[in-house]
Amino acid sequence: MASQQKPGRAVSRRHVLRSGAAALGGSAAFLAGGGAAAQNAQAPAVLTGTQTGRTFRGLVRHDSTLDVQELRLLPIDARQVVIRSQAVAPCYTIVRGALGTNTTRRPEVPNHCGFGVVEGVGAMVKRVQVGDRVVVAGTSQCGQCYQCLQGRPDYCQFTFFSNAPGVEAFPPFAEMRDGTRVYAQAGIGGMSEIMTAFEEYCVPIFSDLPAAELTLLGDQLASGFAAGHAEMHFQPGCDVVIFGAGPVGVGAIQAGRVTGAGQVIAIDPIKYRREFALKMGATLALDPVAEGDGLVERVRELCRGPNDRRFAGGVSWGRAGNAVMARGADFVVEAAGFQAFPPKAEPQPDPTNVRTVQQAWDCTRMGGHVMLMGFTLQPVSFPGPALALLGRTIHPGQQGGLHVMRDIPRYVKLIEKGAIDAKSMITKRYTLAESRQAVQDSADRTIMTGVIEFA
Ligand SMILES: [Zn+2]
Ligand SMILES: [Zn+2]
């Protein structure tokens, strides 16, 4: 994984040569923003410098605590953007790290997405300008790495660069009063009044929609919708099953509704989430605890189609074995995920999520499509012959296959025309001072999506 460092730096050096800013040194240099921008045809209209030294507040996980700290901005990289945050929705993925009581490796502002207004840009930033409203997405799209060139920007190597063990991909972006350096989680953070993000993660938004709705396109809602739209390509009239009716799962449910799926079956142990799923487009909501061991068979029955006749398009004709293999949903999304903490709502039947992943696969018909988004931290086993021969296509769940620069602007239009309902997803709003509680409520699963709005 460490070798991923090379392409990232090679790209950045090539950028430098092209723009004529030869000042960048051999390693990841920190340039003062502004100077070289005048040489660039797509340079921002307003030069603001790096904003270095400005103070702001942010939620910081440090030592064994999580609290709001006063921070001071450090110099930005030539390709970084300074963003004044307007709204952010903490992702369930972060709750384990954020609320843990172990001593952290380094102080960090949690989360991996956000939304705000650009207030400063490094000298080489091209994609956004000062004054732009931007979604900072959980995945980058650089357009130049191997994955982007293969048409897989959902695996943009700029994003995965940050996950390489032992590699300090992103510099600290701020310091606390005592000078302790503070990092942004995944190079993004989001739960602070100021974010700095590399331009590869920034998607400019040309819309007047409220920040609280647009911030949902940085991660959960966009990822869930992309599962159906961008990666699996739900078809009108098809049968869709969604495990987990949280913020991601409901995004996928909305993709089912927008696509005109025949059935959208939501599966979640939490009663208010099943009720919410029905409002957002699910045609049926099942409780996996009540269904117990019969869950997979129940879904297969629901997806058996209107007839069993071989020559009339019947799904489940033939001998018993064939009939069972043939039945199931056309598209299944596993968006339940493992349980980081015991919730205050109804708990998952399997907190590790291993069983849910297997059930998602089992609920998919031969030749159907299944996406594993929520995942488990444990090994999962599948029956070998069936895995090889029964034709379920397993789709990777990394942001649902979202191509951020292509898809987020499309989803903005769908919110504007009322096709995607972002507003109803927001079930509680918080101030920055209440941001720790927002993370706690997410961990407790007492809310659908909490949004922190910055003053
Ligand atoms: Zn996330
Ligand atoms: Zn890329």
Side-chain angles (χ1 to χ4, degrees):
M1 291 292 279
S3 63
Q4 288 183 339
Q5 193 171 352
K6 286 180 182 168
R9 289 195 176 164
V11 166
S12 92
R13 194 167 296 123
R14 192 174 303 162
H15 263 298
V16 175
L17 294 173
R18 245 190 230 147
S19 69
L24 198 60
S27 61
F30 285 45
L31 287 186
Q39 301 172 33
N40 190 324
Q42 295 178 60
V46 181
L47 301 180
T48 60
T50 61
Q51 315 259 321
T52 303
R54 68 185 284 190
T55 56
F56 60 100
R57 294 175 307 147
L59 187 69
V60 181
R61 174 81 164 90
H62 63 108
D63 301 321
S64 56
T65 58
L66 176 71
D67 56 19
V68 175
Q69 292 278 325
E70 188 179 307
L71 302 172
R72 200 179 75 87
L73 194 65
L74 293 171
I76 57 168
D77 185 270
R79 287 186 300 108
Q80 268 183 312
V81 179
V82 179
I83 298 142
R84 179 168 47 81
S85 297
Q86 291 186 319
V88 63
C91 176
Y92 186 82
T93 315
I94 69 161
V95 303
R96 199 157 83 151
L99 297 173
T101 51
N102 58 310
T103 301
T104 51
R105 186 167 62 89
R106 61 187 194 187
E108 205 169 71
V109 171
N111 216 36
H112 46 248
C113 64
F115 183 84
V117 176
V118 173
E119 292 200 335
V121 292
M124 294 166 57
V125 169
K126 295 177 183 175
R127 187 180 292 180
V128 299
Q129 302 183 353
V130 170
D132 280 352
R133 307 180 84 202
V134 290
V135 166
V136 182
T139 302
S140 57
Q141 182 169 352
C142 78
Q144 292 166 311
C145 72
Y146 186 81
Q147 297 289 346
C148 280
L149 294 173
Q150 304 309 310
R152 291 312 304 238
D154 46 331
Y155 284 91
C156 175
Q157 282 153 288
F158 205 85
T159 302
F160 288 87
F161 182 50
S162 71
N163 294 337
V167 174
E168 218 56 275
F170 299 103
F173 84 113
E175 59 186 18
M176 292 198 273
R177 273 190 171 156
D178 65 0
T180 305
R181 297 289 166 109
V182 177
Y183 294 77
Q185 187 171 13
I188 300 169
M191 300 185 72
S192 55
E193 290 171 328
I194 300 293
M195 308 175 68
T196 63
F198 278 84
E199 67 171 323
E200 287 84 348
Y201 292 88
C202 297
V203 180
I205 301 296
F206 304 94
S207 167
D208 296 329
L209 284 170
E213 295 181 33
L214 291 169
T215 199
L216 305 186
L217 298 180
D219 191 13
Q220 300 116 307
L221 172 57
S223 302
F225 196 88
H229 156 260
E231 175 64 26
M232 296 213 287
H233 308 296
F234 290 172
Q235 299 295 311
C238 65
D239 287 334
V240 172
V241 171
I242 315 289
F243 282 82
V248 176
V250 173
I253 288 167
Q254 294 211 46
R257 186 193 71 233
V258 170
T259 311
Q263 294 189 86
V264 181
I265 301 168
I267 301 170
D268 199 294
I270 302 174
K271 185 164 181 276
Y272 84 82
R273 291 192 169 186
R274 291 198 301 276
E275 289 167 356
F276 187 73
L278 292 169
K279 285 185 193 147
M280 301 301 279
T283 55
L284 180 70
L286 299 177
D287 176 359
V289 177
E291 299 296 330
D293 291 340
L295 177 65
V296 170
E297 189 49 35
R298 177 84 193 277
V299 170
R300 286 175 171 167
E301 275 300 306
L302 287 164
C303 299
R304 69 179 297 150
N307 77 84
D308 286 345
R309 289 160 45 192
R310 177 180 176 186
F311 298 108
V315 178
S316 55
W317 60 272
R319 291 176 299 170
N322 286 345
V324 168
M325 290 186 288
R327 281 184 291 143
D330 301 299
F331 298 95
V332 178
V333 179
E334 184 280 298
F338 67 90
Q339 197 173 276
F341 292 104
K344 287 187 178 163
E346 296 89 329
Q348 287 171 224
D350 174 12
T352 69
N353 210 40
V354 168
R355 187 136 184 268
T356 311
V357 169
Q358 290 167 323
Q359 286 172 328
W361 192 83
D362 279 336
C363 285
T364 311
R365 69 164 166 83
M366 272 196 304
H369 298 259
V370 56
M371 178 181 280
L372 307 177
M373 286 189 90
F375 68 86
T376 170
L377 299 179
Q378 308 296 324
V380 188
S381 64
F382 294 98
L387 184 65
L389 301 175
L390 290 188
R392 280 95 152 176
T393 300
I394 299 179
H395 294 261
Q398 148 55 20
Q399 269 219 292
L402 183 73
H403 296 195
V404 299
M405 283 293 284
R406 179 194 68 186
D407 297 329
I408 290 176
R410 290 177 176 173
Y411 300 167
V412 170
K413 286 185 208 161
L414 291 179
I415 296 174
E416 282 178 335
K417 65 182 284 198
I420 293 179
D421 182 352
K423 192 176 176 187
S424 299
M425 304 282 291
I426 306 165
T427 49
K428 196 164 178 186
R429 295 173 193 249
Y430 304 81
T431 62
L432 176 61
E434 299 164 333
S435 56
R436 190 187 198 288
Q437 189 60 43
V439 180
Q440 185 65 55
D441 289 348
S442 178
D444 291 341
R445 291 190 156 152
T446 52
I447 54 168
M448 177 58 61
T449 308
V451 171
I452 295 149
E453 293 180 297
F454 296 84

